[in-house]
Amino acid sequence: MALIGKIKEKSGWAIGFIAIALGLFVVGGDILGPNSVILGNDSQNVGVIAGEKISAQEYGQELEVLKNNYAAQLGRQPSEEELPGLREQAWNRFIEKIAYQKQYEKLGLAVTADELTDMVQGDNIHPAIQQSFVNPSTNQFDKNLVIRYLKSFDTLPVNAQAAWINFESQLGPERLKAKYENMLRLSTYVTKAEARREYEDQTTQADVRFLYVPFFSIPDSSIKITDEQLQQYLDKNKSKYKGENTRTIQYVTFPILPSSQDSSELYQEIKDLAKGLAAAQDDSTFARANTDVPANAGYITMDQVPQELQGEIATFIKGGMYGPYREGDTYSIYKLTDIKDDSVASVRASHILFRSDSTAASQSEALKKAQEVLAQIKAGASFEEMARIHGADGTAQQGGDLGWYTQGGGFVKPFEDALFNFNGTGLLPNPVKTEFGYHLIKVTQPKTRRKYKLATIKKQIAPGEATREEAFRKADEFAGTTSTSQDFITKVSKDATLASFTAEKLRPGDNNVNALPNAREVVRWAFSEETEVGDVSQVFELDNQYVIATLTGKTDEGQVNVDNYRPELTSAVRNELKAQQIMQKLGTPTGDLQALASSYGGQAQVNTAQDVTMSSNTLQNVGFDPEAVGRIFGLKKGQRTQPFAGANGVLIIELTDLTPAPEVADYSQYKNQVTQTISSRSPYYINEAIKEKADIEDKRYRFY
């Protein structure tokens, strides 16, 4: 009885415990599992902007809206190459909705309903609406068309309504951002002192004489650099080198190339299609249904006849079949469905250009040479050979052949007139003058007004299933027997048929990997939180090749080390060490610069530069070197600097003359210049400042 009493006493607690346990069992996966919000997991977020998490679902919905708008405007879905741009637009919309909005709220900026109405049907119509509602009779924007459109809005197709609603939803944010940017832009103020300084920077001129020893005068191989020196330089210049989230991979490709069997099978297919095309009553429809490459289905002039068919023109008959022809991986067959005469003529010709400029001497020389060569051709010399020897344009290597040309197709008028006023074939009797020089012309095919209509089928040789399976088998075998980067490198070194490639500093948003297009899946794998340095990927299929990668290096935003910037650091430290060597050899220089240069050796140059201005930032024979230019204007006439390291070498600069800027009463021109420069850069600087303040974490690479 005592035991039963104890059970009754504790039963409430026990039942509660069981209920909690059952609850945890049911929802534990959501609360304490890998995607737990309580445990701080953000695996379903694409990023954070100004402290606000952006879920993958939210971002996906925004992206879908942009994709639908794109499809509505162009009549097709965006391609793989176009998707990264749309993803960036979607992300920027969130930056504006969150980071910009915080700034708007601090300033009390807003867009009223009246403003929105004004942008659609008021006095300040949005440019997009002005372009869309144009009266065809006046070719001008018509506000009545907008009002009529809005009144009939409920009767419009659903996709049209959705497109308008989306457009309207962007009007407010767009106007708000414009207000904000204009407010900050208008806050720009340039003082008279700043305007005067700009005037003096542009107008004060200095003449200098300088000794210059370029860094490249010392071979790179003679400079030994240690990691300790690189680290010391990095520690002193941390502000120059920001941490980046990057990955470096090595990869191999297994191309899926058509086999001889694939080619044979396609050749048989194209022959069967030729029989079908020959017998087809509606040949144009048959061709369109069976071709891989769309072709011109209308009448074409001689210059538009495919190159492989031009040799067959003499045998052209209506209903005739031509081909198959092979060019690269494409087979072509043609059926001549109709022939007609047109008002515009075509002719085939060759020419030899003797180029001249506008001076009388140049033209006289070109004419003399043209007449000499013309005499040789009339005496029996080959026109084609003379074109190869004397031709001054790109046709020379083809013996001057211009191919078929249709009247009005773009030749300069004197040339075209001479060509089409000549009857038959053969050499024109005299050189023809144009703005380019003098031409000798030979008509190789007589004028014709014929136009042709062709039904065309082009089939591209594609890898068959067996070919794809064999390529995948090789790739899968490589991946299945390779578990580390060292295995990867060893296998590649032992197999002469494999070539490996390195892609350095991939970034999370990259879509391509070197020359591999649409390689987004490879990039996502490289940035996956589960991928470690040394890991080897699964097999990726990219277009017509299989790819396997290994992660060989990574850098993170929060950590900067020498390997992140090794090439840049090495170059900077190498130049520092070269500068030390050069200045040590120069010692404490005295005397004339030329004598110093002779004492130093042939690598030292003495040059002069006239009319140097502070705003130029460049020095003749040295290049871009703002520090060197700045030092010039710190000198008095006759003074010179001690040796110093510039951007490209060591210099000693002597000021030989200085022409101060003349006094002017009005600096408004320069004040406007500075104001316009600052104003034009304002949107960029504003955007960068807001993004920096928002402390953005972009994790979209985990999903896209």
Side-chain angles (χ1 to χ4, degrees):
M1 292 295 291
L3 181 60
I4 294 173
K6 286 287 185 184
I7 292 174
K8 287 181 178 179
E9 183 182 326
K10 301 292 186 181
S11 62
W13 174 86
I15 292 169
F17 177 81
I18 293 168
I20 292 171
L22 286 172
L24 288 175
F25 178 78
V26 172
V27 300
D30 293 328
I31 297 177
L32 301 174
N35 297 329
S36 167
V37 176
I38 289 177
L39 296 182
N41 190 288
D42 65 347
S43 64
Q44 297 306 306
N45 296 327
V46 296
V48 181
I49 300 173
E52 294 190 26
K53 294 179 179 180
I54 314 300
S55 73
Q57 182 180 5
E58 288 177 284
Y59 179 77
Q61 289 171 347
E62 190 71 52
L63 179 59
E64 201 61 32
V65 168
L66 290 174
K67 288 164 66 175
N68 290 337
N69 291 345
Y70 186 97
Q73 289 175 6
L74 297 185
R76 63 172 176 82
Q77 291 296 322
S79 66
E80 284 297 322
E81 291 78 8
E82 293 161 334
L83 279 174
L86 294 178
R87 293 185 188 120
E88 202 61 27
Q89 284 184 43
W91 184 245
N92 288 334
R93 282 192 176 187
F94 280 102
I95 293 174
E96 291 179 10
K97 286 179 183 178
I98 299 170
Y100 272 78
Q101 187 61 38
K102 290 180 183 295
Q103 303 304 315
Y104 303 153
E105 290 170 358
K106 286 181 181 179
L107 294 168
L109 289 179
V111 175
T112 66
D114 288 343
E115 284 182 272
L116 292 174
T117 302
D118 188 48
M119 294 171 70
V120 176
Q121 49 184 307
D123 296 327
N124 297 287
I125 305 295
H126 190 279
I129 295 177
Q130 292 185 24
Q131 293 171 10
S132 301
F133 294 90
V134 174
N135 191 319
S137 60
T138 63
N139 209 29
Q140 299 292 321
F141 166 70
D142 189 339
K143 191 188 297 184
N144 293 323
L145 295 178
V146 181
I147 296 171
R148 196 180 309 158
Y149 178 85
L150 294 175
K151 284 182 176 179
S152 63
F153 185 77
D154 292 339
T155 65
L156 295 175
V158 174
N159 59 341
Q161 292 185 30
W164 175 266
I165 291 170
N166 177 67
F167 167 74
E168 233 180 11
S169 70
Q170 296 304 312
L171 290 178
E174 185 181 312
R175 172 62 66 87
L176 198 53
K177 186 178 181 183
K179 279 186 178 184
Y180 180 69
E181 289 180 349
N182 287 336
M183 183 189 70
L184 293 181
R185 186 184 291 114
L186 291 172
S187 70
T188 301
Y189 181 75
V190 177
T191 66
K192 183 178 179 180
E194 290 173 311
R196 179 189 179 98
R197 186 174 62 194
E198 180 67 19
Y199 164 70
E200 291 175 347
D201 286 351
Q202 293 185 29
T203 313
T204 301
Q205 295 180 340
D207 295 343
V208 296
R209 190 164 178 259
F210 59 92
L211 182 148
Y212 174 51
V213 184
F215 291 140
F216 64 72
S217 64
I218 299 177
D220 290 353
S221 58
S222 68
I223 305 296
K224 306 303 179 187
I225 301 172
T226 66
D227 277 6
E228 183 181 0
Q229 290 171 308
L230 296 178
Q231 186 64 53
Q232 289 173 355
Y233 184 89
L234 178 60
D235 292 340
K236 287 190 299 182
N237 297 274
K238 283 186 176 179
S239 61
K240 294 182 182 178
Y241 302 96
K242 303 296 183 183
E244 285 188 289
N245 193 14
T246 71
R247 300 292 184 269
T248 296
I249 65 170
Q250 196 169 346
Y251 62 93
V252 291
T253 63
F254 293 82
I256 309 170
L257 301 174
S259 65
S260 56
Q261 181 181 347
D262 297 326
S263 178
S264 298
E265 290 174 355
L266 182 65
Y267 185 71
Q268 184 58 50
E269 181 184 350
I270 200 78
K271 287 199 298 183
D272 293 340
L273 286 171
K275 294 176 184 176
L277 182 59
Q281 294 298 311
D282 188 350
D283 25 46
S284 296
T285 301
F286 184 88
R288 282 197 303 271
N290 289 284
T291 189
D292 291 340
V293 183
N296 189 340
Y299 286 92
I300 57 176
T301 53
M302 289 297 300
D303 61 315
Q304 296 172 313
V305 172
Q307 190 67 37
E308 59 264 35
L309 271 183
Q310 292 198 358
E312 308 281 356
I313 287 172
T315 66
F316 270 8
I317 57 170
K318 187 175 178 180
M321 290 294 304
Y322 302 90
Y325 303 98
R326 180 173 178 176
E327 183 177 357
D329 286 339
T330 303
Y331 280 107
S332 306
I333 53 173
Y334 304 91
K335 181 179 181 180
L336 183 60
T337 61
D338 198 16
I339 304 173
K340 72 174 184 179
D341 286 330
D342 192 61
S343 58
V344 179
S346 298
V347 68
R348 184 168 188 171
S350 299
H351 84 138
I352 306 173
L353 171 62
F354 298 86
R355 199 178 292 278
S356 69
D357 56 31
S358 58
T359 63
S362 176
Q363 292 178 13
S364 176
E365 179 65 25
L367 176 59
K368 180 181 176 183
K369 189 65 178 176
Q371 289 171 333
E372 290 174 358
V373 174
L374 179 62
Q376 293 178 49
I377 294 171
K378 287 180 177 179
S382 165
F383 185 97
E384 291 72 20
E385 189 59 31
M386 291 294 101
R388 292 186 183 94
I389 296 171
H390 301 288
D393 69 352
T395 67
Q397 296 307 309
Q398 289 79 48
D401 184 27
L402 294 164
W404 281 94
Y405 172 76
T406 298
Q407 197 166 8
F411 282 170
V412 290
K413 193 171 187 307
F415 190 99
E416 185 174 281
D417 288 347
L419 190 59
F420 284 95
N421 288 333
F422 185 80
N423 293 316
T425 60
L427 185 68
L428 270 65
N430 298 302
V432 176
K433 181 182 178 182
T434 72
E435 61 194 74
F436 303 107
Y438 284 89
H439 307 254
L440 300 183
I441 302 174
K442 178 183 178 182
V443 176
T444 54
Q445 294 285 344
K447 282 184 291 188
T448 177
R449 298 184 183 278
R450 288 289 172 90
K451 295 186 77 172
Y452 305 95
K453 191 174 185 182
L454 297 168
T456 305
I457 295 178
K458 290 180 178 287
K459 300 296 287 185
Q460 295 174 324
I461 306 172
E465 196 58 36
T467 303
R468 286 185 172 277
E469 288 177 359
E470 177 59 19
F472 179 78
R473 184 193 65 76
K474 292 178 180 178
D476 192 46
E477 181 182 357
F478 180 94
T481 56
T482 309
S483 57
T484 67
S485 291
Q486 189 55 53
D487 292 344
F488 186 100
I489 294 167
T490 301
K491 274 182 160 303
V492 170
S493 66
K494 290 182 178 180
D495 190 339
T497 65
L498 294 176
S500 70
F501 307 89
T502 299
E504 296 183 338
K505 289 195 173 182
L506 292 174
R507 287 169 174 77
D510 286 348
N511 195 52
N512 300 336
V513 174
N514 291 348
L516 297 177
N518 305 322
R520 186 70 198 138
E521 288 303 310
V522 179
V523 177
R524 285 186 60 198
W525 170 83
F527 281 91
S528 169
E529 294 173 358
E530 298 176 0
T531 303
E532 300 291 341
V533 172
D535 286 356
V536 177
S537 74
Q538 72 271 29
V539 179
F540 296 104
E541 184 176 356
L542 305 179
D543 296 332
N544 282 325
Q545 57 193 326
Y546 293 111
V547 176
I548 298 108
T550 181
L551 186 65
T552 57
K554 63 187 294 187
T555 66
D556 296 309
E557 290 177 346
Q559 181 181 10
V560 183
N561 57 51
V562 166
D563 286 334
N564 297 165
Y565 290 97
R566 184 172 291 275
E568 298 93 325
L569 293 171
T570 300
S571 177
V573 172
R574 185 189 296 123
N575 284 347
E576 276 194 351
L577 296 174
K578 287 182 178 182
Q580 291 172 14
Q581 282 190 21
I582 294 168
M583 288 192 282
Q584 185 176 6
K585 187 173 179 180
L586 285 169
T588 305
T590 57
D592 182 70
L593 292 180
Q594 193 61 58
L596 285 172
S598 299
S599 174
Y600 183 91
Q603 302 93 339
Q605 313 164 13
V606 175
N607 296 296
T608 60
Q610 281 80 40
D611 303 332
V612 179
T613 64
M614 178 73 87
S615 61
S616 67
N617 287 323
T618 59
L619 196 58
Q620 186 178 343
N621 297 317
V622 173
F624 183 76
D625 198 332
E627 181 181 348
V629 173
R631 287 185 181 236
I632 290 171
F633 291 91
L635 297 172
K636 294 180 180 179
K637 184 176 178 180
Q639 278 188 329
R640 75 181 186 197
T641 67
Q642 289 298 310
F644 69 91
N648 306 298
V650 172
L651 298 104
I652 303 173
I653 302 178
E654 184 176 275
L655 180 64
T656 57
D657 196 16
L658 184 70
T659 306
E663 287 293 333
V664 294
D666 185 8
Y667 295 102
S668 58
Q669 173 187 344
Y670 299 93
K671 185 174 183 177
N672 290 337
Q673 284 182 15
V674 177
T675 301
Q676 288 173 8
T677 299
I678 296 173
S679 295
S680 66
R681 296 172 180 170
S682 290
Y684 171 77
Y685 289 137
I686 291 167
N687 190 55
E688 291 302 301
I690 286 179
K691 287 196 295 185
E692 183 176 349
K693 187 175 178 61
D695 195 20
I696 294 171
E697 294 179 35
D698 185 353
K699 299 293 181 79
R700 287 176 292 158
Y701 61 84
R702 300 192 302 191
F703 299 86
Y704 297 93

